[in-house]
Amino acid sequence: MTINTIMVIGAGQMGSGIAQVCAMAGYNVFLHDLQEEFVQKGIQSIEKLLARAVDKGRMTEEDRDDTLRQLHPSTSIQNAAEADLIIEAVVENMDVKTGIFKMLDDIAPKHAILASNTSSLPITEIAAVTNRPEKVIGMHFMNPVPVMKLVEIIRGLQTSDSVYEVIEAVTTKLNKVPVEVNDFPGFISNRILMPMINEAIFALYEGVAEPEAIDEIMKLGMNHPMGPLTLADFIGLDTCLYIMETLQEGFGDDKYRPCPLLRKYVKAGWLGKKTGKGFYTYS
Ligand code: NAI
């Protein structure tokens, strides 16, 4: 099966990055969101990153123009009728995602593959709301998408081998490395990463150390490129909370209990870098 047109649903930090790498690889791309201003914000962030790549000599002006030409803004879900592959990257909420997958199943061509960039939600459950569970798969990109090499590919219970192979080939064409995992809460990446971030938040909550000290210890002591609290701010504290809740519910184990301080920050609207305030302040 040949993939020519990809639709990305959700033009936030992940969706815009995914649309960018797909366009750079030569795919025809729809970048879709609920409102025109959200789509434009996503496109502007892509333009900014491409301009920086040209300035640094990592991309020619011609390649930048080609990439931008491949990108089509969308606020009509009906554009899914033209897509061979749809990658959903909206908020980490099961009801929202299943609502979208039901719509996509009705609109997208029969051959189209429906992928989710979910960080932790069960692909099998998302697939079950469609009439094509064998064509539903997880494509978990890492943040920031244009920089990070990994795509964790999640096979739902019913994902077919041929669909897995197509997605593996697309990922390689995006100049990324696909790694296959089975469908369990948090997959591998967030099952291991998120409890560490949550523990760092507990350490802050219990007054063990200041945020800067916690991050410095993990950077200098463990050679992590970024401390866990800074990383949480970059991921988005709402997303971190959703993932911890998914782990807690999925495994039924109290060791995944989200830290009350994380809940408090999310309730306050302190969602990290994207809102200007999380464990640190951003201008
Ligand atoms: P975000 O909050 O930056 O963007 C979400 C976008 O989805 C927003 O622009 C919103 O308007 C749009 N949206 C919401 N409902 C919609 C709908 N019904 N139809 C169309 N668009 C809709 O979130 P972010 O960080 O990009 O996360 C998106 C997904 O990617 C989540 O599932 C998250 O778990 C996952 N993810 C996030 C990572 C991160 O580091 N932030 C890393 C890997 C995966």
Side-chain angles (χ1 to χ4, degrees), residues 93-158:
N93 175 293
M94 194 50 141
D95 290 340
V96 178
K97 290 200 195 281
T98 49
I100 290 173
F101 272 74
K102 272 188 206 146
M103 270 194 295
L104 293 175
D105 191 34
D106 287 341
I107 301 166
K110 285 281 163 267
H111 71 268
I113 296 174
L114 310 183
S116 175
N117 182 51
T118 177
S119 312
S120 61
L121 295 169
I123 296 301
T124 306
E125 198 176 325
I126 296 174
V129 304
T130 73
N131 292 309
R132 58 178 102 191
E134 74 289 353
K135 294 199 179 72
V136 178
I137 193 163
M139 274 184 101
H140 182 208
F141 289 81
M142 303 293 127
N143 186 11
V145 180
V147 177
M148 301 293 283
K149 279 301 223 190
L150 174 69
V151 183
E152 194 177 27
I153 313 279
I154 304 107
R155 293 181 82 123
L157 192 61
Q158 300 182 73

Side-chain angles (χ1 to χ4, degrees), residues 8-16 18 32-35 38-39 41 77 88-93 96-97 99-100 103 116-121 139-145 190 194 231-232 234-236 238-240 242-243 271 274:
V8 180
I9 312 275
Q13 55 176 344
M14 293 305 291
S16 59
I18 296 167
H32 174 88
D33 209 304
L34 292 169
Q35 291 179 29
F38 301 152
V39 183
K41 202 172 154 211
I77 194 84
E88 166 277 316
V90 308
V91 60
E92 187 76 346
N93 175 293
V96 178
K97 290 200 195 281
I100 290 173
M103 270 194 295
S116 175
N117 182 51
T118 177
S119 312
S120 61
L121 295 169
M139 274 184 101
H140 182 208
F141 289 81
M142 303 293 127
N143 186 11
V145 180
N190 279 317
M194 226 22 98
L231 181 54
F234 276 64
I235 293 170
D238 50 344
T239 301
C240 293
Y242 292 136
I243 296 170
L271 306 184
K274 63 184 167 188

Side-chain angles (χ1 to χ4, degrees), residues 57-82:
R58 284 188 270 110
M59 185 181 228
T60 64
E61 288 187 6
E62 199 185 357
D63 284 347
R64 176 200 58 198
D65 295 344
D66 285 347
T67 300
L68 290 173
R69 254 195 300 276
Q70 298 293 111
L71 270 174
H72 311 286
S74 161
T75 49
S76 165
I77 194 84
Q78 295 300 330
N79 287 321
E82 291 178 41

Side-chain angles (χ1 to χ4, degrees), residues 153-174:
I153 313 279
I154 304 107
R155 293 181 82 123
L157 192 61
Q158 300 182 73
T159 309
S160 72
D161 289 344
S162 58
V163 164
Y164 177 80
E165 279 155 22
V166 171
I167 294 304
E168 192 178 37
V170 169
T171 305
T172 308
K173 194 171 162 189
L174 299 180

